Amino acid sequence: MTSRPPFLDSLAYSWGAKWGEDQLKRFAEGLDPGSDTIVDILRTRCLTSVYQPIVSLNNADIYGFEGLIRGPADTSLYLPLQLFEAAKQRQYLPEMEHLSRQIVLENYAATCKTRKLFLNSTPEMLLMSAPNKAETMAYIASLGLEPQQIIIEVTEQTRNMDYGQLREAVQLYRDIGFEIAMDDLGEGFSSLRLWSELKPDYVKIDKHFIRNIHLDQVKFEFVRSIQQIAQNSGAKVIAEGIETFEELSIIKDLKIDFCQGYYLGRPEPTLIQSIDVDVKKQLVRNTLHLYQNTYIALDHRSNVSKLLKYIPPIQATMTNNEVMRLIDADSSIHMLPVVDGETPIGLITRYTMIDNLARPYRRELYGNRRCAETFMDTQPLIVEKSMSLKALSDIIAEEAQHFSNGFIITDNGRYLGIGRGQDLLREVTQMQINAARYANPITLLPGNVPINEQLDRLLASECRFSVCYFDLDTFKPYNDIYGFRRGDEIISYTAKLLLDHVDQNFDFVGHIGGDDFIVIFQSKDWQARCKQILSNMENDIAEFYDEAHKAAGGVVAEDRQGKVVQYPFVSLSIGAVKVKPGRFRSQHELSSAVSLAKKQAKKMPGNSLFIERRA
């Protein structure tokens, strides 16, 4: 058995439980009863340390490593989750955590003396015993390390913890010189409470919020909020679980301090010395990742619960006479949901009851019969509260008979209330109005709101970029002669033409409306892209005309003054403005400059590009 360094009684065992003498003797003499894999691992130190790089986004270099542990290869205990769970079941979890940290520290010290090392610890381990400052510092020094290089990464795993004791324990390690990191923010039971109590130097955002962040507006807003809180509290943020180019681009744009994930480097026994060349280029490039076609109005996330109105239901056993008395007593009742227990089974409308029971002899015949057996609509529209308004409107469009009667809203099949068709119509109409501000209905390209948001982001980032205003010439006479449908074909063609000639990671295509488009270029070869767009337009546009107009080279139509004019084929005018840091104070100033450049371009005949070169 290896000799026990002082670290076992200081740093290591303050993160675990001090082994009793009987237990040490049992280990030394091999007297632990039976064959026990966990005991064998502890006795033979059969663990391997691996290290995953943590990259600084400020200098595009490795900032440090997270030290991780692996069990015996080709066994069920290779992965740490299974390893520590097995140790916990055998009541050797503190010993396993101690040995893991010792191996991680010693192997790290043998290969790296300069970068930070992040070491995982549960709150329970921190609370088990206090560190001996002198012995701990002596052990760290014997490895050739400084306490300032080591960051204790606290992982929350339990619902109940004594925050006061944990805060005191963390302070003891801070007094030695260690820094504190909080792992998996957003995953645990009370992450924000733990953040406020520990006031960590680093906060790691759980990988759930990083995965596909470029496609999820809620995740984007969550990470942006965490970054803002961290800045205000003096903490540095680490984004975990980055696996794609797009995820890293968003994290970079949000100005997160550090990042970690397979895209940057996998856990390896040998410490990598530098990140991939292409990843480094991505980090040092002074551009923003622009969101093409990902803008969705928040109203589109609305669900049926927004329409919920509670009306007390009636039981299926109630008689028609009892229902009629309810309706007579309350003129505001237009419909009554019928339930069997908590499960809705139908709807009874005021009109149906009055129309049927007011006829001669109907009340005598049906008055004492159960309402569920006679005048109830047995196939009402029943929807869950989580259904989106768009999905509901699609259903009602196909089943128009349910529209006037309204619909029943449930929660996992239990009655909640009702919704009215007119309320749905009002909400859907408002959604369509809002959607038009976010996306053009013809091309589905982002509209004015996202265009302005992108311009604001780029101006705030002080990136260099160019804004191009694309406007179709002689489009109105084409539309007058061929009609809106043929006109929309040219609009759609133009949208596709622009999308085909931009880098959709760094450039952005927006549709202002009508025949006007905006393209924001961060591509350095943007002028060549514009010239290619103009060339394609000139080569393709004749195909949108009939043979007679092709032969004539255009169309004859009246101008705005009523004069008959020969118009050439539709063409594109591009007004461009190059933006340098500090040139424009707002997107409103920039938009005005781009509009003026477009007017200059339209003075030039045919397909044209005008670049505003004045300061």
Side-chain angles (χ1 to χ4, degrees):
M1 183 176 179
T2 58
S3 61
R4 186 175 66 172
F7 189 49
L8 295 186
D9 288 322
S10 52
L11 177 65
Y13 276 110
S14 67
W15 290 349
K18 184 180 290 187
W19 291 359
E21 292 302 320
D22 291 340
Q23 192 174 21
L24 283 172
K25 182 179 179 181
R26 193 165 72 241
F27 265 75
E29 297 176 357
L31 298 179
D32 198 274
S35 175
D36 192 315
T37 304
I38 293 298
V39 172
D40 290 340
I41 291 172
L42 290 169
R43 183 187 294 111
T44 61
R45 295 169 59 92
C46 189
L47 297 174
T48 303
S49 58
V50 293
Y51 303 90
Q52 185 171 30
I54 295 173
V55 176
S56 168
L57 295 182
N58 293 323
N59 59 15
D61 198 5
I62 295 174
Y63 177 75
F65 295 88
E66 180 177 0
L68 304 165
I69 207 72
R70 297 291 185 264
D74 301 322
T75 72
S76 61
L77 301 181
Y78 176 71
L79 294 176
L81 186 63
Q82 287 78 13
L83 174 69
F84 288 111
E85 180 59 32
K88 182 178 180 180
Q89 291 177 2
R90 289 288 290 115
Q91 298 184 344
Y92 287 127
L93 181 59
E95 292 84 351
M96 187 64 74
E97 286 210 21
H98 151 65
L99 181 60
S100 298
R101 279 187 288 273
Q102 190 178 44
I103 289 174
V104 166
L105 271 168
E106 292 175 357
N107 291 343
Y108 181 79
T111 55
C112 182
K113 305 285 188 184
T114 57
R115 294 187 169 105
K116 301 277 189 178
L117 174 63
F118 289 72
L119 282 173
N120 290 287
S121 176
T122 60
E124 292 78 9
M125 296 299 105
L126 290 175
L127 292 171
M128 281 192 172
S129 60
N132 182 304
K133 184 174 181 179
E135 292 183 350
T136 297
M137 294 184 69
Y139 177 75
I140 294 297
S142 72
L143 296 176
L145 300 173
E146 296 289 338
Q148 292 76 17
Q149 288 179 254
I150 298 171
I151 296 145
I152 301 174
E153 191 170 310
V154 182
T155 304
E156 181 189 9
Q157 293 182 340
T158 57
R159 291 181 182 273
N160 301 313
M161 64 179 70
D162 189 319
Y163 289 103
Q165 289 185 8
L166 184 59
R167 188 169 58 247
E168 292 175 4
V170 164
Q171 188 57 48
L172 292 173
Y173 293 101
R174 278 201 165 111
D175 292 341
I176 294 174
F178 300 121
E179 291 184 293
I180 303 298
M182 180 179 156
D183 195 17
D184 295 335
L185 178 70
E187 183 190 46
F189 302 106
S190 52
S191 297
L192 293 178
R193 169 75 186 274
L194 192 61
W195 186 353
S196 68
E197 293 285 354
L198 299 188
K199 297 178 174 55
D201 304 285
Y202 303 85
V203 174
K204 282 191 166 186
I205 301 177
D206 183 64
K207 61 186 178 183
H208 165 79
F209 297 99
I210 306 303
R211 187 178 298 115
N212 292 327
I213 188 174
H214 58 293
L215 303 175
D216 193 318
Q217 184 177 352
V218 173
K219 290 181 179 179
F220 178 88
E221 295 297 339
F222 176 85
V223 174
R224 181 160 64 176
S225 298
I226 293 302
Q227 169 70 350
Q228 186 62 53
I229 295 172
Q231 286 179 344
N232 295 338
S233 64
K236 300 179 180 67
V237 176
I238 302 172
E240 290 188 293
I242 295 175
E243 297 187 2
T244 66
F245 172 93
E246 293 80 10
E247 290 168 356
L248 179 60
S249 295
I250 297 298
I251 295 304
K252 171 177 173 286
D253 294 351
L254 288 171
K255 301 187 185 301
I256 302 297
D257 302 285
F258 306 103
C259 56
Q260 179 181 357
Y262 286 175
Y263 185 71
L264 301 148
R266 291 177 174 270
E268 299 287 352
T270 303
L271 278 66
I272 66 171
Q273 299 303 310
S274 61
I275 60 175
D276 181 79
V277 174
D278 291 335
V279 173
K280 194 177 186 73
K281 287 180 180 178
Q282 180 182 353
L283 292 177
V284 300
R285 182 176 180 176
N286 187 26
T287 56
L288 291 184
H289 184 88
L290 301 183
Y291 311 89
Q292 186 66 53
N293 287 344
T294 59
Y295 282 87
I296 302 173
L298 289 178
D299 283 347
H300 285 198
R301 301 178 183 272
S302 297
N303 56 32
V304 170
S305 60
K306 193 170 186 177
L307 307 176
L308 180 65
K309 294 183 182 297
Y310 181 74
I311 292 179
I314 61 175
Q315 290 295 324
T317 56
M318 184 175 285
T319 67
N320 289 321
N321 281 333
E322 291 172 323
V323 174
M324 197 63 197
R325 281 195 290 270
L326 287 176
I327 292 175
D328 287 339
D330 189 348
S331 60
S332 67
I333 294 177
H334 296 284
M335 73 178 81
L336 286 170
V338 183
V339 296
D340 183 3
E342 292 185 343
T343 304
I345 60 172
L347 271 178
I348 293 178
T349 67
R350 183 186 193 90
Y351 173 80
T352 300
M353 288 299 294
I354 293 176
D355 182 58
N356 281 281
L357 293 184
R359 298 180 185 182
Y361 309 114
R362 284 297 185 95
R363 182 164 293 199
E364 290 79 5
L365 287 172
Y366 298 108
N368 292 321
R369 294 180 61 176
R370 293 172 51 182
C371 64
E373 299 174 351
T374 47
F375 308 127
M376 181 185 76
D377 177 2
T378 59
Q379 293 183 322
L381 179 57
I382 301 176
V383 297
E384 278 287 305
K385 68 174 184 178
S386 58
M387 177 180 286
S388 71
L389 294 183
K390 183 180 184 305
L392 176 58
S393 65
D394 291 343
I395 291 174
I396 287 182
E398 296 177 2
E399 303 180 29
Q401 69 272 19
H402 291 297
F403 188 87
S404 59
N405 291 343
F407 44 90
I408 295 174
I409 301 174
T410 59
D411 181 10
N412 292 322
R414 297 193 304 272
Y415 173 77
L416 275 187
I418 59 97
R420 301 186 305 169
Q422 56 265 45
D423 293 335
L424 173 64
L425 182 61
R426 183 184 64 252
E427 290 295 332
V428 170
T429 301
Q430 188 60 49
M431 283 169 53
Q432 291 172 339
I433 294 171
N434 292 339
R437 299 169 60 232
Y438 282 80
N440 184 276
I442 298 174
T443 61
L444 301 181
L445 289 174
N448 291 305
V449 171
I451 291 171
N452 292 337
E453 287 177 355
Q454 296 289 25
L455 292 175
D456 283 335
R457 287 183 65 224
L458 285 163
L459 289 172
S461 72
E462 298 189 343
C463 294
R464 291 175 177 264
F465 61 99
S466 299
V467 182
C468 295
Y469 194 138
F470 288 75
D471 188 12
L472 291 171
D473 303 315
T474 68
F475 179 72
K476 184 181 181 303
Y478 178 93
N479 222 24
D480 291 343
I481 291 174
Y482 285 100
F484 290 110
R485 186 184 64 80
R486 294 278 291 273
D488 288 348
E489 291 177 0
I490 290 186
I491 296 294
S492 298
Y493 161 80
T494 305
K496 185 177 184 305
L497 178 63
L498 299 181
L499 288 172
D500 288 345
H501 288 82
V502 300
D503 182 337
Q504 293 197 31
N505 285 316
F506 299 106
D507 303 331
F508 178 85
V509 181
H511 191 171
I512 299 174
D515 59 356
D516 295 341
F517 298 82
I518 287 287
V519 178
I520 304 171
F521 283 108
Q522 292 183 98
S523 300
K524 293 182 179 180
D525 60 344
W526 66 272
Q527 293 186 46
R529 293 173 186 264
C530 286
K531 291 176 181 177
Q532 187 60 53
I533 289 170
L534 296 178
S535 175
N536 284 22
M537 170 65 77
E538 186 170 358
N539 293 335
D540 297 344
I541 195 63
E543 297 304 316
F544 291 91
Y545 288 81
D546 294 341
E547 292 301 323
H549 292 146
K550 284 182 184 179
V555 298
V556 175
E558 291 185 353
D559 64 11
R560 298 182 187 274
Q561 287 73 41
K563 296 180 180 179
V564 177
V565 177
Q566 174 77 32
Y567 288 100
F569 290 151
V570 170
S571 58
L572 263 179
S573 292
I574 309 174
V577 174
K578 295 190 286 186
V579 182
K580 299 178 181 179
R583 182 178 178 186
F584 297 98
R585 291 173 295 182
S586 70
Q587 53 95 356
H588 300 291
E589 282 188 2
L590 175 55
S591 297
S592 297
V594 174
S595 295
L596 291 174
K598 186 260 296 187
K599 290 180 180 178
Q600 294 298 320
K602 290 185 76 67
K603 295 178 181 179
M604 303 162 66
N607 293 286
S608 58
L609 169 63
F610 175 83
I611 302 174
E612 175 57 77
R613 302 185 185 277
R614 293 174 294 179

